[in-house]
Amino acid sequence: MSTATHEPHVPSLADAPEELHFEVRESRDARRARLSSGVLIVVVGLLLGVLFFSTTGTARFALSDAFADVQLPTIEVPGAAMVALCAVLCLLAGAGFVSGRLRGRLPMVAGIVAGLAVVLGFLTWAAAGKDLPFPVANQLAGTVFTATPLILGALCGVVGERAGVVNVAIEGQFLTAAFAAAIVGSVTKSIPAALFAAVFASVLMAALLALFAIKYLVDQVVLGVVINLLASGVTGFLFDQLVQPNSRALNNAPVMDPISIPLLADIPLLGPILFNQTILVYLAIVAVVVVWWLLFRTRWGLRVRAVGEHPKAADTVGISVKGVRWQAVLVAGVFSGLGGAFFTVGSVGVFSKDLTVGNGFIALAAVIMGRWHPVLAATMALFFGFVVQMASQLQTLNTPVPSQFLLMLPYVATIIAVAGLIGRTRAPAADGVPYTK
């Protein structure tokens, strides 16, 4: 009797399955963000094309101010040609977004090119044919100065919202901090005392936000609006009843002097801009690094991000969700306190009602545009500072654009950012969601 033996089957190339092809589909939100960004860039490019027909002469850009020890050359560019080139770059970048053919890092590159083209094209149109050159040094120095409170306010928003607490009350924290700094600075004539008072007042407002948002589960957006109104009302009442009648004693705070860093401050163009500033400017720069390190390089930062993304999972492994959120909101209050002090002891030395004029909301927009990342949020704050400074600089060039429209530019940019027309943004998953066991 014979037995059959079965040899094991060895797979061959003929047995291999057909090649699989995977199609990556774009989500609805990503498509909407891509199309809205592309259309917006195309519209701006068309506007630059319209400005091309009214551009005459040469545009001059002065790299040094009149009092600089080292005078850098003034750059001259043909106005119409530069505006036309910037318009074409915007249209190409916008077409790339609309077509959806940009992959990998190309959308980011196209966005940067479009942004630079918009700024350069608009400034060229404004400076072309004018008697005075556009002061680049003043523009950059004013950008850093104006963006300082926005950077600190944006860091406040990033820390709080990374933990899951929406902070619409940055404006109110700014206002109370500015008021406290003005009062204490006027009484003590001490800059450190004024800064301490500003931080203390802002942290108190942050504690109020945390109390009702975390403990009593009040809607965080509505709560932020209420805190802003409370800050405006309380500071306005105290200003009318207490400060204004005694303005010499209670509203005459010292102003910070610039601190020059030896050698670095002597660098042409960049030296006076970056290394001859007040202590608050330096603190804002250091704060960006500190917040980044806290959020992404420490155990505490990991817990903050965990309770902002998935609080139930964090609670499961023994993390106190409410405790971490309290800590994040109070730490965030320190940054908004420093930002609020800028409006009084950091600049003019006096307080007036509603002094912050919406800067807290612009800082909140920087948080959204910066995608809740400290470095990106600070970059967006610099962008807003650039727009604000540009509006004031263009008024000196007698551009045909009404000054009221120029002053609207930062707020228009804020609306565009909050509406989500520039890129896709995703907040932390539990941002604004109260946590209950």
Side-chain angles (χ1 to χ4, degrees), residues 8 58 62 89 99 155 158 180 184 218 235 240 279 347 402 425:
T58 300
L89 290 176
S99 66
L155 294 178
V158 167
V184 174
V218 177
T235 56
D240 289 334
I279 187 63
S347 54
T425 59

Side-chain angles (χ1 to χ4, degrees), residues 21 121 186 192 223 404:
H21 297 277
S186 299
L223 175 61
Q404 293 83 356

Side-chain angles (χ1 to χ4, degrees), residues 324-379:
V324 171
R325 286 185 172 180
W326 264 95
Q327 294 170 18
V329 173
L330 295 180
V331 169
V334 174
F335 299 111
S336 58
L338 293 174
F342 171 88
F343 294 98
T344 48
V345 296
S347 54
V348 294
V350 297
F351 179 85
S352 59
K353 288 196 292 187
D354 296 323
L355 176 68
T356 52
V357 291
N359 278 272
F361 298 108
I362 297 179
L364 181 61
V367 175
I368 298 172
M369 283 187 69
R371 304 184 182 189
W372 292 268
H373 190 283
V375 177
L376 294 179
T379 304

Side-chain angles (χ1 to χ4, degrees), residues 6 48 112 116 153 172 174 185 187 214 222 225 230 234 287 290 333 342 344 350 365 406 422:
H6 298 280
L48 286 177
I112 294 174
L116 293 176
F174 272 174
V187 173
I214 300 173
V222 175
V225 174
L230 174 65
V234 171
V290 169
F342 171 88
T344 48
V350 297
L406 294 176
I422 301 181

Side-chain angles (χ1 to χ4, degrees), residues 70-82:
V70 178
Q71 290 294 320
L72 298 177
T74 298
I75 299 176
E76 297 185 359
V77 296
M82 181 58 69

